[in-house]
Amino acid sequence: MRLFYAMILLLGLSANGFAQINPGMPSWVDDTPFALGGDVGHPALSGIDAVWLDGVLNQVGQITVNSHIILFHPRHGDLGVRKLESSGLTSDVGTLSTGLQYVLGLRSFEQPDANGVSQVVGFYVTGLKSNGKSSVFYCPWSGVNPPPTNLALTELIPEAPAGRVYLVGDIVENRLYVFDAAGENVYRYVDSDADGLPDTPDTVAPLSLATKPAGALIREPVLGFYRPAGTTDDAFHWGSSKHRWGYWRVAADQGVLKASWKRIPRPPRFDAEGVCDGQNKIRAHHDYGKKVVVYAGVSVSQMQLISHATVVSDNLHQWVDVGLTRPLRQGEVIQLRDADDGALVSYLETVAPRRHFLMESEEGTVWESVPVSFPAFDVSPSTTVVTGKLGNVLVALDVKISQNSVVIETPVLAGGTSSASLLVEATDSRFPGVVSRQTINVCHKSN
């Protein structure tokens, strides 16, 4: 792998030339996702499923590369570059032209350093060239310092034959996988001349996918390739068919690439923020399609069933709200069990003192001035205080509190600020020492 990266550094300078980061952000950045521009009727895209095409051409994305955020828009060939400041704010760096007409996919690339610690060393760009042909480029970008004036873009593989449109490409070990959104196939490329670059189609036949699984409403493209932790498998994300605890394994079998689903079993567990006195339901996690029940008692030996069996039907997140036959009581222990084979149990959880409201643990991204709602539990407008910080600066929030929810309106960012991390904290004088927190990434929306 180190050889691969070293060769990209050497060969990338001569294979395709340089791309310069110019001052000023791309024109589409402040208007996304509404003022899209670009040619939606490009002939090269005519073979893609119409539902996919609408999603692909309207999906603005970004990656993080060494303290910088790189943004792309699939109807444009230029990238926006922003710097992540220590305060949590971002500042505009400029525009990086890829030489492509459309950038359909952007992926960061990591390699282990001398100590075996994974480091981002560059990124991949998948898209359409000006001649309408699809290709994959690589751009080395090492270190945390500001990017160099010129970045080398190397075309990894020959441009695709007419009729193929590569939506996403990733290197797993030394093999490049690409997904053709027109033919709905996965192709694999290998290094034929030992120069460290995947450059030639593998001799195995491509993987043909049934991209509209039984019961699915729409077709589902491949969104990326990777190697699952602790395995030697090459795998891929397949649209919304990606389960939380499993992956699609791709392997060569008798000269053909084939896919097989591999499930990673996970024991049931509770939402750590959702077990407190007085609750009459809890959020639980278990494997997709399983049924869960809740047991509770003053001790392990005195636990009793306090819920009906609930099926985990959300195949993406695998969380389910389990209704209880009685409220939880502070100090008792509870346990989540598989309804079919009660031997499969979660860790024990002690019911905590009553909290005023529960906040989601995952970070979200919203436009400024957009109302954001959090699920409430036993909230009192007279005793609850909600505060917000942008970076290290305390900001006023427009807050509406009811018994079932706490709604804030995200603040307007200061002039020239593109995005900022908003830390929301809530306290209730009835519950000393209890603080609920949520971090939200707020983006500027120009009028």
Side-chain angles (χ1 to χ4, degrees):
M1 291 297 286
R2 290 182 177 85
L3 172 63
F4 168 71
Y5 175 51
M7 293 304 297
I8 282 182
L9 283 176
L10 294 174
L11 299 179
L13 300 179
S14 59
N16 292 96
F18 294 102
Q20 185 173 358
I21 297 181
N22 296 311
M25 297 294 283
S27 59
W28 52 263
V29 169
D30 287 335
D31 293 328
T32 57
F34 305 107
L36 300 174
D39 178 14
V40 296
H42 195 296
L45 303 175
S46 61
I48 301 180
D49 177 84
V51 177
W52 275 10
L53 183 59
D54 182 65
V56 168
L57 296 183
N58 290 281
Q59 182 61 53
V60 179
Q62 65 181 47
I63 61 172
T64 301
V65 176
N66 297 321
S67 73
H68 289 76
I69 295 176
I70 305 178
L71 305 97
F72 77 96
H73 192 301
R75 297 191 197 176
H76 300 269
D78 48 3
L79 306 176
V81 182
R82 286 177 172 152
K83 178 75 166 62
L84 276 170
E85 308 292 351
S86 58
S87 63
L89 305 179
T90 62
S91 57
D92 292 346
V93 176
T95 297
L96 173 62
S97 176
T98 65
L100 293 168
Q101 185 174 358
Y102 283 7
V103 172
L104 299 180
L106 188 65
R107 313 285 287 186
S108 60
F109 179 49
E110 297 183 6
Q111 285 221 324
D113 60 15
N115 298 317
V117 179
S118 184
Q119 303 288 342
V120 175
V121 296
F123 59 88
Y124 301 106
V125 183
T126 305
L128 294 177
K129 301 166 71 172
S130 58
N131 62 3
K133 299 294 183 66
S134 190
S135 194
V136 180
F137 288 76
Y138 178 71
C139 181
W141 185 339
S142 294
V144 297
N145 294 320
T149 302
N150 292 317
L151 295 170
L153 288 172
T154 300
E155 190 168 16
L156 290 180
I157 58 177
E159 62 185 29
R164 290 188 198 172
V165 178
Y166 295 152
L167 181 60
V168 63
D170 276 320
I171 287 180
V172 184
E173 291 301 325
N174 63 340
R175 294 181 293 203
L176 171 67
Y177 291 86
V178 294
F179 173 64
D180 168 28
E184 302 178 12
N185 292 310
V186 172
Y187 293 89
R188 189 164 75 180
Y189 289 79
V190 296
D191 179 8
S192 65
D193 53 11
D195 67 352
L197 295 169
D199 52 22
T200 302
D202 201 339
T203 56
V204 297
L207 170 62
S208 180
L209 297 172
T211 51
K212 190 174 182 182
L217 297 178
I218 61 173
R219 295 184 182 274
E220 300 172 348
V222 172
L223 302 181
F225 304 88
Y226 67 115
R227 172 152 289 180
T231 77
T232 58
D233 293 334
D234 293 352
F236 60 90
H237 295 166
W238 184 0
S240 60
S241 294
K242 176 199 168 188
H243 294 251
R244 188 182 180 107
W245 303 118
Y247 59 91
W248 290 97
R249 177 176 178 266
V250 57
D253 181 9
Q254 298 182 346
V256 180
L257 287 179
K258 295 184 179 179
S260 58
W261 173 252
K262 296 194 70 173
R263 186 176 296 281
I264 305 173
R266 287 291 185 271
R269 60 187 176 91
F270 294 115
D271 183 347
E273 289 290 322
V275 186
C276 63
D277 178 69
Q279 280 187 245
N280 56 17
K281 68 178 180 180
I282 62 170
R283 174 160 289 188
H285 174 275
H286 197 12
D287 208 4
Y288 170 58
K290 293 287 189 176
K291 290 187 293 186
V292 293
V293 289
V294 178
Y295 279 73
V298 294
S299 66
V300 175
S301 62
Q302 301 181 56
M303 298 179 73
Q304 296 181 336
L305 178 65
I306 63 166
S307 81
H308 301 294
T310 303
V311 178
V312 182
S313 58
D314 184 343
N315 66 351
L316 180 61
H317 301 294
Q318 296 172 305
W319 289 99
V320 64
D321 288 327
V322 181
L324 307 179
T325 56
R326 66 162 175 82
L328 297 177
R329 300 166 186 149
Q330 180 179 344
E332 66 181 343
V333 291
I334 64 172
Q335 202 166 43
L336 186 68
R337 298 186 183 180
D338 188 299
D340 294 323
D341 68 12
L344 180 61
V345 297
S346 71
Y347 54 78
L348 288 171
E349 183 73 32
T350 301
V351 179
R354 185 166 299 199
R355 296 172 179 169
H356 54 298
F357 72 93
L358 311 174
M359 304 191 79
E360 302 294 334
S361 59
E362 295 183 0
E363 181 176 334
T365 300
V366 298
W367 295 118
E368 60 187 6
S369 303
V370 171
V372 179
S373 179
F374 305 105
F377 179 70
D378 191 23
V379 172
S380 169
S382 63
T383 58
T384 300
V385 176
V386 180
T387 59
K389 286 184 179 180
L390 284 172
N392 297 319
V393 180
L394 193 67
V395 295
L397 296 177
D398 182 3
V399 182
K400 296 180 177 61
I401 299 175
S402 68
Q403 186 175 3
N404 298 316
S405 69
V406 173
V407 180
I408 68 166
E409 185 173 295
T410 51
V412 176
L413 303 180
T417 303
S418 301
S419 66
S421 179
L422 172 66
L423 173 64
V424 180
E425 294 187 341
T427 58
D428 191 315
S429 58
R430 296 174 298 164
F431 312 119
V434 178
V435 182
S436 293
R437 295 182 175 89
Q438 168 72 25
T439 301
I440 306 169
N441 187 45
V442 181
C443 295
H444 170 68
K445 176 67 176 69
S446 62
N447 295 322

